[in-house]
Amino acid sequence: MNVLSDLIISYKFNVILKDEGNGYTGRFLGFSVYITNTTCKDTAVQCFKDTSYTPSTIPNPTNITCITHGRYVIYYNNRTHPPYPDGYDQYAFNELCELEVYGCPTPGHYGEDCFLQCPKNCQEGHCHIVDGNCLGCIPGYRGPKCNDDWLKPTAT
């Protein structure tokens, strides 16, 4: 299982990238990105859903920040519930040119080069890939780095 931080999606566009009539942007609109440890979208974490791009505003490439753990990245787009928003093509095509995934290949690490180890009291050893804050604490600990032992008796 890898720690993901950023995804960059490059889509097939004509030379005129942001042109409502280019025939490609309308097919791309409305896509979602999921992260999972299996190949099943139903058990995945949705880290992005396009709800606001238009044919003239969708960036190419599209940069998505998604701080989560997982083995698989699922790009998903469908057209099953008409009517569709303005600018959407009636068909969703998968015309990706490139999908770049960035993160740490070794669980339990974070930082620019993934050399820093997550705090020892992080739940399942998972922490935020940039700042090292725990994504959850083992029982008895709390705080961003799970270093506050709230079950330990205090001296009076």
Side-chain angles (χ1 to χ4, degrees):
M1 177 169 50
N2 294 334
V3 183
L4 305 177
S5 63
D6 296 293
L7 305 167
I8 299 175
I9 300 174
S10 297
Y11 196 76
K12 176 183 178 181
F13 286 145
N14 276 345
V15 176
I16 304 170
L17 296 178
K18 294 180 181 176
D19 174 14
E20 294 184 27
N22 74 15
Y24 296 108
T25 53
R27 301 174 191 168
F28 189 33
L29 296 174
F31 74 95
S32 300
V33 175
Y34 295 85
I35 309 299
T36 180
N37 287 318
T38 69
T39 56
C40 179
K41 180 182 76 63
D42 297 335
T43 60
V45 173
Q46 184 182 58
C47 68
F48 180 81
K49 168 82 174 135
D50 168 32
T51 58
S52 61
Y53 289 136
T54 69
S56 61
T57 64
I58 192 161
N60 191 28
T62 301
N63 297 311
I64 299 169
T65 298
C66 182
I67 308 293
T68 192
H69 292 76
R71 186 173 180 188
Y72 299 97
V73 175
I74 299 173
Y75 166 87
Y76 182 77
N77 202 351
N78 71 6
R79 297 290 191 268
T80 56
H81 302 291
Y84 309 118
D86 287 341
Y88 278 49
D89 192 275
Q90 68 176 332
Y91 302 106
F93 288 80
N94 182 358
E95 298 173 311
L96 300 182
C97 290
E98 185 174 25
L99 174 65
E100 298 176 31
V101 180
Y102 296 92
C104 290
T106 306
H109 290 81
Y110 74 99
E112 187 173 333
D113 295 318
C114 301
F115 289 130
L116 301 171
Q117 192 163 5
C118 293
K120 66 179 181 176
N121 296 322
C122 290
Q123 186 177 23
E124 298 179 7
H126 297 163
C127 68
H128 190 283
I129 193 170
V130 176
D131 62 21
N133 286 338
C134 296
L135 302 180
C137 298
I138 62 173
Y141 291 88
R142 63 183 175 192
K145 304 274 191 227
C146 296
N147 54 3
D148 181 8
D149 184 356
W150 59 276
L151 293 179
K152 185 177 176 182
T154 56
T156 57

